[in-house]
Amino acid sequence: MIDTLLHVVLVLAMPPLLLGVIGKTKAAFAGRVGAPFLQPYYDLSRLMRKGVVISDTTTWIFRAGPAVTLAATLFAALLVPLGKHAAPVSFEGDMILFAYLFALGRFFTTVAALDTGSSFEGMGAAREVTFSCLAEPALFFALITLTRLSGTMSLTPMLNHVTSPVWLAAGASLILLLAGLFVVLLAENCRIPFDDPNTHLELTMIHEVMVLDHSGPYFGCILYGAALKLYLLGALFVNIAVPFASGNTLVDWALFALSMLVLAVAIGVVESVMARLRLIRVPQLLVAAMILTAFSLVLVVR
């Protein structure tokens, strides 16, 4: 019971903190003080208090997009185990539902962008679905590799199966898997080198261009849903990269939270030392991620 309670509390409260840590890390690399760690919480609170401006050309799809996307991501959060603790909802085949809940959120974000009738947002929507065609196979290859190692299609036993002995037996495969999964994590969350969440008026934008017309609580839902998606894919990465468990519940929860903060620092470092890729290079890096995860599968089935 306490594990479920801590799972819900962390899922609801911690995602914006990752954005604060990433921002603080980038500021440190640039020699600036930067915004406070809690700045994303202040931004979400401000957006929830603001009014909404909606174009007359939009329909109910535009208003439903942020809500459906956030609801789908919140449900996906119930399927992912945090640390070495069981997820609140777990059943055979839930890994497929996990992937398709993200696809459902992407679909509604895309149709909400198209609903505005703006050619600029339509351009972003086209890019989003095009690049997702390359990112999703990489994610599925990674999940199939874990299925092969654990013998189950449920996320909780699948990720809890990755322990130190498994790393010793299939370390090369897991390293390839983590490399591909990290690229997918950056691409799916519009982070550098794929996109820059801080830009809003550049022709090379991918995800951010789709949400230009949203404001107030709708935009707050989009920002919180994006932070939650980063948190869930990060939890997937951390569950594989950190195979240790002390057996003490509170210590394991603290280890997981600390690992997530370290991952946020690593993302901040990547964004500080890399420039955004040219748009034509984005598919090449996603294909490389897909090849890495495919090779990880080959190594475990050979």
Side-chain angles (χ1 to χ4, degrees), residues 159-292:
L159 293 173
N160 289 344
H161 178 76
V162 182
T163 55
S164 298
V166 175
W167 263 97
L168 291 175
S173 174
L174 290 175
I175 289 174
L176 292 175
L177 185 151
L178 283 176
L181 203 56
F182 189 71
V183 173
V184 171
L185 184 151
L186 296 177
E188 287 281 353
N189 293 284
C190 60
R191 311 300 311 186
I192 294 175
F194 296 96
D195 200 359
D196 188 350
N198 296 320
T199 60
H200 296 283
L201 290 173
E202 294 183 13
L203 290 175
T204 54
M205 290 190 300
I206 300 173
H207 177 81
E208 293 300 314
V209 70
M210 296 193 299
V211 299
L212 287 177
D213 274 61
H214 290 87
S215 59
Y218 292 116
F219 191 50
C221 288
I222 290 172
L223 291 183
Y224 182 72
L228 184 58
K229 187 176 182 181
L230 173 66
Y231 188 81
L232 296 181
L233 288 175
L236 201 64
F237 182 91
V238 164
N239 279 332
I240 302 168
V242 183
F244 314 109
S246 67
N248 184 304
T249 298
L250 294 180
V251 172
D252 288 341
W253 278 113
L255 176 63
F256 169 75
L258 180 63
S259 302
M260 291 297 293
L261 294 178
V262 172
L263 176 64
V265 172
I267 295 173
V269 171
V270 169
E271 295 194 359
S272 300
V273 300
M274 290 190 69
R276 192 167 57 183
L277 291 173
R278 293 170 60 191
L279 204 57
I280 59 173
R281 300 294 183 192
V282 172
Q284 296 174 1
L285 188 53
L286 289 173
V287 169
M290 186 168 59
I291 292 173
L292 286 173

